[in-house]
Amino acid sequence: MRLELGHVNISDVQFGAETKIENGVLYVNKEELISLIKEDEHLKEVDVEIARPGESVRITPVKDVIEPRVKVEGPGEIFPGVLGKVETVGSGKTYALKGCAVVTTGKIVGFQEGIIDMTGPGAEYTPFSKTNNVVLICEPVDGLKQHDHERAVRFAGLKAAKYLAEAAREVTPDKVEVFETLPLLEQLNQYPDLPKVAYVQMLQSQGLLHDTYVYGVDAKQIVPTILYPTEIMDGAIISGNCVSACDKNTTYHHLNNPVVADLYEKHGKELNFVGVIITNENVYLADKERSSNWTAKLAEYLGLDGVIISQEGFGNPDTDLIMNCKKIEQKGIKTVIITDEYAGRDGSSQSLADADPLANAVVTGGNANEIIELPAMDKVIGSLEYIDTIAGGFDGSLKEDGSITVELQAITGATNELGFNKMSAKGF
Amino acid sequence: MGKIKVVHYINQFFAGIGGEEKADIKPEVREEVIGPGMALNAGFKGEAEIVATVICGDSYFNENVEEAKAEILEMVKKYEPDLFIAGPAFNAGRYGVACATITAAVQEELGIPAMTAMYEENPGVDMFRKDLYIVATKNSAAGMRDAVNKMVPLALKLAKGEEIGTPDEEHYHARGIRKNFFADKRGSARAVDMLIKKLKGEEFQTEYPMPDFDRVEPNPAVKDISKATIALVTSGGIVPKGNPDHIESSSASKYGKYDIEGFEDLTSETHETAHGGYDPVYANEDADRVLPVDVLREMEKEGKIGKLHRYFYTTVGNGTAVKNAKAFGEEIGKELKEAGVDAVILTST
């Protein structure tokens, strides 16, 4: 499967009479976008704002972040099985609006929604302070239950991203990257002397607002399976998560999965990247056993030498992470795991809820409990009223002057477990 | 800043007073540089100076900890030092424990920067590594030169209040404190690099060495449950409506203890969840789904259990640090035991 990914660089976003891209500027017809999103009867009010890098703007509570992408050639559409037909994606040509994202906010769904600061110390910790953000503020109709509310806002974000990306369809991309993974036997023969490596991606599926969708299927319902890496770039996996903001894999993270990108970077040079094994993080023990047995079985079946395993969330999924790691290592296949830490505010507590000596190669996205002070911003998109109760906040997090003291946990993407950021932690 | 003033602590053996037969000598202070202090003083190259040496017998210290501590603290205080150093104790167990105990006392009670040094298997390391900078030494005094070379730079940094590097850089026993920093490469690239090294059989460094995991053996079964007092404890965040003690939705810093006398059933009128890690709709509709008071009341009536304990304990197990959870568990366990509870049903979510 071969995908050409065209980068359409967006240096600014502005409202305009027509939604279009000109000289790297994305113009958005606000009314048209709002009326598209308001088609959903679950949403009472919808507004759109723009937040640019460096502006004194705070967005909260953030639910999802999505990079607008459009398929210009090849089968299927973006977000197959969700917005598009359930055609297999990952081949042909796709354009991505680089430097631009859709961010969804509005009344809180659960507790686990985040903060994005476009400037100041908090901006260092979130990748979305560097993107030009089209922010949807979605207010649900009265009495809407949390799961219906989450779904309505999830679809709002995806629809907005799809709508904006259409503007790129006829644009000539600034850069084109080509990714190719061959059918397995051919792929093994292409680089017979290089170690065979796959990526085991664990998808958040604890349920009760902790869900991920694969081609529209709730990941709780899947057994581990294999994807071409390029399928992910076309939106095969989307987030439906209210997991703590810091280690929630937003849809943007999935589309731009850094493990996939960095394995491709070494593909044909130092390793042979043969594919992605996706698995879930269900809460029942039998499911954990079955899924980890299957990831190990698939890793063996593919004849792998090594895997990178990434996690989403923390606590309960730590057990899935360790089970996957242990069982794959026991097959004689080398593993590196990517996680993050909950070592307490002073960093002195044990970081994970499970551990095993076979997990001897760990990459960490940092300690999510570490405290950060966020100064007040000139403008808030969304609302500050949930700051004390979102995951990572506590009584008194929000000060009268609008400044905030919270754990990094509350910052969207801060300790990402796909390894999206540079942050790590050291033992002292 | 003038010369850094140092008070040094050693035992009877390193002071040249004698071995085991002299281990019961009481603390004394001498305004001189003695034994290993000579090498330390030389290492300071004039930047710091040992102004006094406290000597105490290992047996005396360990058998009279409180008295010895108080006496020594008085001696140290008098010199108003900028830094306190004990040892190195190498693999001498009682000496190591004495060094670590007095170093911790000076640091905490006098607020003076303090450090010690010993071999990794010295029991003093495990007792105090979380609280102290303990330089890693070899297991015998043959490693004195090496120990002094490692102690001097760390000692000077501590006295000057400079930033202390990692255990590898500064040669101290890791204290297990995790601190964030920004690496040169993103995590996924670090993972790919690490995997390539691991595949090649080259040396690689994990970013998080696995901890020794605490596994708890279950207790034997309750002999006669029909006579037992049963308590309910949950990490599912069930609280009286309004969450009166403001237990956090995540990273809980506290737990609550609530009276359920007279409650046959928890309802959406009386109870809810404070937990931020799951869709609260079902728990808020009926908190018995997480904290089964209704079922236990029935069992109480039917005589299947002796009695439901009057109070339930609750916290939020969502990103809550293991250290906090452990402290809650210890306190709750103690109270339940004192209240004569025979068994506990722990519910999670």
Side-chain angles (χ1 to χ4, degrees), chain A residues 83-101:
Chain A
L83 291 190
K85 287 186 181 155
V86 51
E87 180 67 65
T88 300
V89 292
S91 61
K93 200 183 277 183
T94 299
Y95 291 168
L97 271 59
K98 288 289 160 190
C100 170

Side-chain angles (χ1 to χ4, degrees), chain A residues 26-186:
Chain A
L26 171 66
Y27 296 91
V28 181
N29 178 336
K30 187 172 170 177
E31 297 317 313
E32 194 172 81
L33 177 55
I34 289 175
S35 61
L36 172 75
I37 302 307
K38 273 192 86 170
E39 282 175 6
D40 188 333
E41 63 194 21
H42 298 104
L43 298 176
K44 184 169 68 180
E45 280 167 54
V46 177
D47 199 5
V48 180
E49 298 230 34
I50 293 167
R52 301 176 185 86
E55 289 179 344
S56 181
V57 172
R58 169 164 297 146
I59 315 168
T60 188
V62 172
K63 296 151 209 321
D64 198 10
V65 185
I66 306 126
E67 183 175 75
R69 290 190 174 198
V70 59
K71 270 209 90 56
V72 291
E73 269 178 44
E77 299 166 66
I78 288 292
F79 309 129
V82 180
L83 291 190
K85 287 186 181 155
V86 51
E87 180 67 65
T88 300
V89 292
S91 61
K93 200 183 277 183
T94 299
Y95 291 168
L97 271 59
K98 288 289 160 190
C100 170
V102 171
V103 175
T104 46
T105 184
K107 185 186 172 208
I108 198 152
V109 174
F111 295 101
Q112 299 186 316
E113 290 158 47
I115 301 169
I116 295 173
D117 279 358
M118 300 307 290
T119 188
E124 303 292 314
Y125 292 87
T126 177
F128 309 115
S129 62
K130 289 123 203 141
T131 46
N132 291 287
N133 298 324
V134 177
V135 188
L136 299 184
I137 305 115
C138 300
E139 301 301 343
V141 295
D142 297 336
L144 194 63
K145 289 287 188 200
Q146 274 91 338
H147 41 272
D148 293 324
H149 180 186
E150 184 279 317
R151 188 178 53 228
V153 182
R154 174 169 19 111
F155 273 86
L158 299 173
K159 277 156 70 180
K162 188 181 175 194
Y163 165 81
L164 295 174
E166 278 300 327
R169 194 178 277 282
E170 305 300 332
V171 174
T172 306
D174 298 281
K175 180 177 131 186
V176 176
E177 287 181 288
V178 179
F179 302 99
E180 183 166 28
T181 299
L182 302 173
L184 184 63
L185 294 184
E186 291 169 45

Side-chain angles (χ1 to χ4, degrees), chain A residues 112 146 208 210 262 329 335 341 347-350 353 360 362 364 367 389 407 409 419 421-422 424 426-428, chain B residues 167 175-181 183 186-188 190 198 206-208 213 249-251 276-277 279 281 319 323:
Chain A
Q112 299 186 316
Q146 274 91 338
L208 298 178
H210 295 40
D262 289 333
E329 283 278 342
T335 65
E341 305 182 42
S348 71
S349 184
Q350 183 177 298
N360 64 1
V362 182
T364 172
N367 177 16
T389 49
E407 296 185 3
Q409 195 183 166
N421 309 325
K422 290 185 175 175
S424 175
K426 277 194 256 199
F428 284 80
Chain B
R175 305 191 311 159
I177 307 287
R178 303 290 292 171
K179 281 188 193 163
N180 291 336
F181 74 103
R186 66 180 180 179
S188 52
R190 304 199 304 271
K198 196 170 169 179
T206 182
E207 295 179 3
Y208 179 63
F213 205 67
S249 66
S250 175
S251 305
D279 184 346
V281 168
K323 197 175 164 184

Side-chain angles (χ1 to χ4, degrees), chain A residues 110-406:
Chain A
F111 295 101
Q112 299 186 316
E113 290 158 47
I115 301 169
I116 295 173
D117 279 358
M118 300 307 290
T119 188
E124 303 292 314
Y125 292 87
T126 177
F128 309 115
S129 62
K130 289 123 203 141
T131 46
N132 291 287
N133 298 324
V134 177
V135 188
L136 299 184
I137 305 115
C138 300
E139 301 301 343
V141 295
D142 297 336
L144 194 63
K145 289 287 188 200
Q146 274 91 338
H147 41 272
D148 293 324
H149 180 186
E150 184 279 317
R151 188 178 53 228
V153 182
R154 174 169 19 111
F155 273 86
L158 299 173
K159 277 156 70 180
K162 188 181 175 194
Y163 165 81
L164 295 174
E166 278 300 327
R169 194 178 277 282
E170 305 300 332
V171 174
T172 306
D174 298 281
K175 180 177 131 186
V176 176
E177 287 181 288
V178 179
F179 302 99
E180 183 166 28
T181 299
L182 302 173
L184 184 63
L185 294 184
E186 291 169 45
Q187 187 55 61
L188 297 180
N189 287 330
Q190 191 183 18
Y191 305 115
D193 300 327
L194 293 176
K196 299 175 286 295
V197 171
Y199 168 35
V200 176
Q201 187 181 9
M202 295 170 48
L203 306 176
Q204 177 56 251
S205 64
Q206 287 180 262
L208 298 178
L209 298 175
H210 295 40
D211 300 299
T212 302
Y213 299 86
V214 182
Y215 282 92
V217 177
D218 183 337
K220 282 197 291 293
Q221 313 292 345
I222 66 164
V223 286
T225 188
I226 297 168
L227 298 185
Y228 281 104
T230 50
E231 291 178 70
I232 296 174
M233 300 177 184
D234 275 347
I237 301 172
I238 61 154
S239 172
N241 280 324
C242 299
V243 188
S244 283
C246 67
D247 53 18
K248 176 201 323 253
N249 294 333
T250 65
T251 300
Y252 186 101
H253 288 108
H254 286 299
L255 290 165
N256 289 284
N257 191 306
V259 178
V260 168
D262 289 333
L263 283 172
Y264 266 130
E265 180 73 31
K266 305 280 182 182
H267 183 49
K269 297 172 197 152
E270 295 193 71
L271 52 82
N272 188 356
F273 180 25
V274 302
V276 180
I277 300 171
I278 52 166
T279 182
N280 51 17
E281 301 177 347
N282 288 11
V283 291
Y284 289 101
L285 184 60
D287 289 342
K288 289 177 186 296
E289 292 286 3
R290 183 189 311 107
S291 289
S292 56
N293 290 343
W294 276 52
T295 55
K297 179 188 72 177
L298 290 173
E300 177 190 64
Y301 185 67
L302 295 175
L304 301 175
D305 298 302
V307 297
I308 289 174
I309 309 171
S310 70
Q311 188 188 359
E312 181 171 9
F314 57 93
N316 190 300
D318 292 347
T319 57
D320 301 275
L321 177 70
I322 296 297
M323 279 177 164
N324 283 322
C325 170
K326 200 164 79 178
K327 291 178 186 180
I328 294 171
E329 283 278 342
Q330 283 166 348
K331 299 273 186 195
I333 299 162
K334 303 272 194 296
T335 65
V336 171
I337 63 175
I338 311 177
T339 183
D340 67 349
E341 305 182 42
Y342 286 75
R345 288 175 192 166
D346 64 357
S348 71
S349 184
Q350 183 177 298
S351 298
L352 296 176
D354 199 2
D356 192 274
L358 287 172
N360 64 1
V362 182
V363 166
T364 172
N367 177 16
N369 294 133
E370 211 168 274
I371 296 281
I372 185 167
E373 308 276 340
L374 304 174
M377 297 279 143
D378 294 346
K379 179 177 170 186
V380 173
I381 303 178
S383 168
L384 292 180
E385 70 176 294
Y386 313 106
I387 294 294
D388 284 5
T389 49
I390 54 172
F394 39 87
D395 249 5
S397 274
L398 178 65
K399 309 285 187 310
E400 258 179 45
D401 65 358
S403 68
I404 293 172
T405 306
V406 279

Side-chain angles (χ1 to χ4, degrees), chain B residues 135-333:
Chain B
V135 168
T137 72
K138 301 203 162 122
N139 64 356
S140 77
M144 182 64 82
R145 181 196 292 265
D146 170 71
V148 168
N149 286 343
K150 289 172 177 164
M151 289 167 75
V152 165
L154 182 62
L156 293 175
K157 277 193 173 179
L158 278 172
K160 292 184 212 163
E162 289 175 9
E163 195 178 326
I164 308 298
T166 61
D168 282 349
E169 289 160 0
E170 312 277 6
H171 310 290
Y172 59 87
H173 293 290
R175 305 191 311 159
I177 307 287
R178 303 290 292 171
K179 281 188 193 163
N180 291 336
F181 74 103
F182 288 98
D184 296 334
K185 287 186 177 179
R186 66 180 180 179
S188 52
R190 304 199 304 271
V192 172
D193 290 348
M194 199 184 287
L195 183 64
I196 289 170
K197 283 186 182 167
K198 196 170 169 179
L199 286 166
K200 284 184 182 164
E202 291 173 3
E203 203 180 314
F204 60 89
Q205 203 168 11
T206 182
E207 295 179 3
Y208 179 63
M210 284 288 126
D212 293 326
F213 205 67
D214 197 8
R215 297 202 188 266
V216 181
E217 287 295 316
N219 273 332
V222 175
K223 283 208 182 75
D224 185 359
I225 198 84
S226 70
K227 303 260 182 332
T229 300
I230 313 280
L232 284 171
V233 176
T234 186
S235 61
I238 300 303
V239 289
K241 190 116 184 172
N243 190 10
D245 296 312
H246 304 281
I247 297 175
E248 296 89 341
S249 66
S250 175
S251 305
S253 67
K254 55 198 160 199
Y255 63 89
K257 173 187 180 181
Y258 303 108
D259 196 343
I260 37 172
E261 178 112 312
F263 279 98
E264 295 297 313
D265 184 18
L266 308 181
T267 68
S268 60
E269 304 293 309
T270 62
H271 290 79
E272 64 182 6
T273 182
H275 201 292
Y278 62 93
D279 184 346
V281 168
Y282 310 101
N284 287 344
E285 275 175 4
D286 183 358
D288 294 296
R289 286 172 172 152
V290 178
L291 194 84
V293 170
D294 54 353
V295 175
L296 284 161
R297 284 289 182 226
E298 279 169 31
M299 291 181 144
E300 201 176 33
K301 277 188 201 129
E302 292 166 8
K304 284 188 180 159
I305 63 166
K307 171 168 151 243
L308 177 60
H309 184 52
R310 177 169 177 172
Y311 301 94
F312 76 91
Y313 291 81
T314 180
T315 189
V316 164
N318 178 26
T320 299
V322 175
K323 197 175 164 184
N324 280 357
K326 219 169 159 174
F328 302 164
E330 275 163 18
E331 287 175 32
I332 294 169

